[in-house]
Amino acid sequence: MRVVVQDAPFDFGREAESFAKAQTNMGAVVTFTGIVRDSAKGDMAVMEIEHYPGMTQKALEKIASEAMERWELGDALVIHRYGRLHRDEMIMMVATAARHRVAAFEAAEFLMDYLKSRAPFWKKEIGADGADWVAAREEDDDALSRW
Amino acid sequence: MMDVLYFAWVRERIGVPKERIETGAATVADLVEELKAREERYEVAFSDLSALRVAVDQELSDFDAPLDGAREVAFFPPMTGG
């Protein structure tokens, strides 16, 4: 299991490749990548992601450990960025490895659902006419109830 | 002494990311009341607790949680990771 919190960009292709190649007897690897998109207003110049340095790593490790245990994963990877990002840049990725695909898909969704509303990150969209904090969506909180 | 941290719009409304305070608050809710009594910017930031989340010693917690021995309390809006 590997959890990385960084401001620098990451190389999705290289991360996915080395994650997949490091596995033994795992029939399935699933990856997900989150990418910065424009604000609803359509004028976003930059997205600023704030986080809680002391807590972020621990919170992500706790979420990843729970996924490892629950789906008997061979491995899990979480990379999440913070700082100033532009549209179309990659914010984060997760990868899961399991013997069968259902476990790998489900564990990746679980990781994403928990990262959305239980990891201490806050997004701010900075546009031409000012800045707005991205509001949490009720659906994101509701999504946790299925696990 | 306790470190109190603020993130996102809570930080912006209160105007500082972190402060060290002397408090005898027994619970998070008591601490919130103490802070609100200080100045209007706290009153504004803590006006709707349903819009806020809290972590005690870097673990997500509740407003009725005890602060016995806590070293760090953080207030922030619902998280928007991923």
Side-chain angles (χ1 to χ4, degrees):
Chain A
M1 184 182 105
R2 192 169 141 243
V3 170
V4 184
V5 182
Q6 63 183 33
D7 58 353
F10 58 88
D11 184 331
F12 173 69
R14 213 176 59 192
E15 294 290 351
E17 170 95 2
S18 63
F19 180 85
K21 281 196 170 152
Q23 308 309 321
T24 307
N25 202 27
M26 289 291 128
V29 165
V30 164
T31 65
F32 172 87
T33 318
I35 297 169
V36 180
R37 62 163 183 266
D38 207 346
S39 62
K41 276 193 280 179
D43 71 340
M44 192 184 73
V46 73
M47 172 176 276
E48 192 153 308
I49 303 178
E50 181 172 337
H51 79 121
Y52 183 170
M55 179 177 167
T56 314
Q57 183 81 22
K58 281 190 283 183
L60 294 179
E61 280 171 6
K62 195 172 160 193
I63 294 167
S65 299
E66 199 178 329
M68 290 282 296
E69 206 169 301
R70 219 159 137 175
W71 281 276
E72 296 181 3
L73 300 180
D75 201 0
L77 167 68
V78 177
I79 301 176
H80 205 303
R81 295 178 63 192
Y82 59 87
R84 289 167 85 82
L85 281 79
H86 293 91
R87 203 187 68 185
D88 305 328
E89 273 192 76
M90 291 180 189
I91 303 177
M92 52 80 60
M93 70 172 286
V94 301
T96 54
R99 289 177 57 79
H100 301 285
R101 75 173 188 280
V102 173
F105 271 118
E106 279 187 7
E109 281 212 82
F110 169 91
L111 285 174
M112 287 311 306
D113 283 348
Y114 272 81
L115 287 179
K116 278 258 167 225
S117 52
R118 291 293 182 273
F121 292 98
W122 301 274
K123 295 186 182 123
K124 188 182 205 178
E125 295 168 342
I126 302 169
D129 305 325
D132 292 305
W133 288 101
V134 174
R137 301 183 323 158
E138 226 168 271
E139 302 96 276
D140 290 338
D141 227 24
D142 294 347
L144 302 186
S145 60
R146 67 178 164 140
W147 308 111
Chain B
M1 294 298 272
M2 182 186 280
D3 286 324
V4 184
L5 282 69
Y6 310 106
F7 291 96
W9 60 253
V10 185
R11 170 179 54 73
E12 291 177 339
R13 271 176 215 180
I14 289 173
V16 291
K18 181 177 179 174
E19 56 191 333
R20 176 159 275 212
I21 64 162
E22 187 90 56
T23 176
T27 65
V28 174
D30 292 344
L31 175 63
V32 168
E33 287 311 310
E34 259 182 36
L35 292 169
K36 281 169 78 173
R38 281 179 156 195
E39 275 177 60
E40 203 190 340
R41 58 196 166 106
Y42 293 94
E43 179 88 51
V44 173
F46 289 108
S47 60
D48 178 11
L49 292 189
S50 71
L52 292 181
R53 300 292 179 268
V54 59
V56 175
D57 286 336
Q58 307 183 346
E59 294 267 356
L60 281 176
S61 190
D62 296 304
F63 284 90
D64 54 10
L67 286 180
D68 194 26
R71 292 184 311 264
E72 184 173 306
V73 176
F75 296 101
F76 40 79
M79 295 152 276
T80 52

